[in-house]
Amino acid sequence: MKRLIALTLLSGTVLVSCVSKKKYVELESQYNDTKSTLSKTQLEKEEIEAKYAKIEERVADYNSKISSLTDANISLEKTSLRNYDGVVMSKEDKEQMAQALANVNQSELANARTLQDSMNLIVSYNLKKNLDNSLMADGQDDDIQIDIDETVVMITISDKLLFKSGSYRVNPAADNLLSRLASVINSEPAMEVLIEGHTDAQTVKEGAYVKDNWDLSVERSTAVIRKLQNDFNVDPAKLIAAGRSSYQPLTENETKEGRSSNRRTRIVILPNLDKFLALLSAN
């Protein structure tokens, strides 16, 4: 009986031992497979991380190039528009400018080389359009001359419309003319107005209330300016006074007709670039 029990226990021990070994081998195989898979996965992870790093590097490089191209484009735009005194126009200003230039003489526009040239064309176009309809009235065609020299508008007014001989007091009969002129000046904010007084070569009589023709030409210029400012609400910041005396004659001073031509007031319209750009930006 004891021998039978011992045999049975031995058989059970062998059986348990055999099952554990098989299971062990199986588990060891699974472990090795898992370890191999983990090693493979780790390798794949490292490869993916390396590819991702390269992608990040390329993205950073692309972003750097995009930023560089953007800066270059902005710089190029500014350079292409910096045609006058270093002025830079915004995109909106440029669009406004293009719309205004669509109305001017295109053959003249083809010769424009700077921002100032283009702006002068716009201002002179608007002024000429208004001047032709506003000033040429009341049979004064022979006493008022309008010229455009390189897009600068010049209005020459005979002194017989403005002053009596030797006087710098503005003739009240000129109020209608000056009122129309003020309306034209006020209609175009982007400009300054130079008022030039010109005399003939005759000397001022001794004891007169002006010293000489310099004095007379300046007094006449400032008299017109005061009239435009005080009576017709022209902004004085836009007005410039100048006296030329007799040193820029239109013709000889030997005849009555020649002296009459030389006695004149010239109004020069000077486009103001800063004001023009400010107006564009405000639209």
Side-chain angles (χ1 to χ4, degrees):
M1 185 66 179
K2 291 182 180 180
R3 185 177 297 177
L4 180 60
I5 293 172
L7 182 61
T8 301
L9 290 173
L10 180 60
S11 298
T13 302
V14 171
L15 182 60
V16 171
S17 176
C18 290
V19 171
S20 297
K21 181 66 175 178
K22 182 178 179 182
K23 187 65 175 178
Y24 171 81
V25 171
E26 181 181 346
L27 290 174
E28 185 179 38
S29 176
Q30 291 178 358
Y31 168 77
N32 289 333
D33 288 344
T34 301
K35 184 177 180 181
S36 176
T37 301
L38 180 60
S39 178
K40 183 179 179 181
T41 301
Q42 183 67 28
L43 182 61
E44 290 176 348
K45 176 177 176 292
E46 291 174 357
E47 290 177 350
I48 291 173
E49 287 178 344
K51 290 180 180 179
Y52 181 72
K54 289 182 179 180
I55 292 173
E56 282 190 323
E57 184 179 349
R58 289 171 62 186
V59 169
D61 183 53
Y62 288 147
N63 287 336
S64 176
K65 288 180 179 179
I66 290 171
S67 178
S68 176
L69 289 172
T70 301
D71 291 342
N73 185 56
I74 292 172
S75 176
L76 182 60
E77 281 190 359
K78 288 183 177 180
T79 301
S80 65
L81 292 170
R82 191 179 286 113
N83 294 321
Y84 179 69
D85 287 347
V87 173
V88 178
M89 293 175 63
S90 68
K91 180 180 179 182
E92 291 75 15
D93 288 346
K94 188 177 179 182
E95 290 174 353
Q96 293 281 346
M97 188 86 165
Q99 292 175 8
L101 287 171
N103 296 320
V104 307
N105 186 306
Q106 296 303 300
S107 62
E108 293 179 354
L109 180 60
N111 295 322
R113 292 292 178 267
T114 66
L115 181 58
Q116 185 188 32
D117 292 339
S118 299
M119 185 196 67
N120 284 345
L121 285 172
I122 296 170
V123 174
S124 61
Y125 168 82
N126 291 336
L127 285 173
K128 191 68 166 61
K129 180 178 63 176
N130 291 331
L131 287 169
D132 287 343
N133 297 327
S134 300
L135 294 186
M136 296 304 188
D138 303 333
Q140 297 171 341
D141 300 58
D142 294 335
D143 299 314
I144 300 173
Q145 182 179 348
I146 301 173
D147 299 297
I148 297 180
D149 183 12
E150 295 183 354
T151 73
V152 176
V153 179
M154 292 175 289
I155 308 164
T156 302
I157 304 173
S158 170
D159 266 16
K160 70 181 181 181
L161 286 179
L162 297 174
F163 306 102
K164 293 180 180 180
S165 178
S167 171
Y168 57 80
R169 186 183 300 275
V170 178
N171 191 334
D175 283 359
N176 189 33
L177 168 64
L178 294 179
S179 175
R180 296 198 303 272
L181 177 61
S183 295
V184 173
I185 295 173
N186 289 333
S187 72
E188 182 54 72
M191 66 181 182
E192 293 177 335
V193 183
L194 173 65
I195 312 293
E196 288 183 346
H198 295 261
T199 70
D200 60 30
Q202 287 189 314
T203 58
V204 173
K205 294 180 181 180
E206 187 176 350
Y209 46 82
V210 290
K211 296 178 182 179
D212 52 25
N213 283 326
W214 280 113
D215 197 11
L216 180 59
S217 65
V218 172
E219 290 287 1
R220 285 181 168 179
S221 170
T222 53
V224 172
I225 281 180
R226 290 189 185 98
K227 196 80 173 174
L228 291 172
Q229 175 185 349
N230 298 331
D231 295 356
F232 304 110
N233 301 315
V234 175
D235 181 1
K238 298 171 65 172
L239 301 174
I240 306 168
R244 296 288 193 175
S245 186
S246 60
Y247 296 106
Q248 288 193 350
L250 294 176
T251 185
E252 43 78 31
N253 277 289
E254 305 305 319
T255 66
K256 181 179 179 180
E257 292 75 16
R259 290 192 294 272
S260 178
S261 296
N262 291 331
R263 294 191 302 270
R264 67 201 188 276
T265 297
R266 190 170 77 149
I267 299 167
V268 184
I269 309 299
L270 305 170
N272 185 307
L273 180 61
D274 292 335
K275 289 183 180 178
F276 183 80
L277 293 178
L279 288 171
L280 286 178
S281 299
N283 291 333

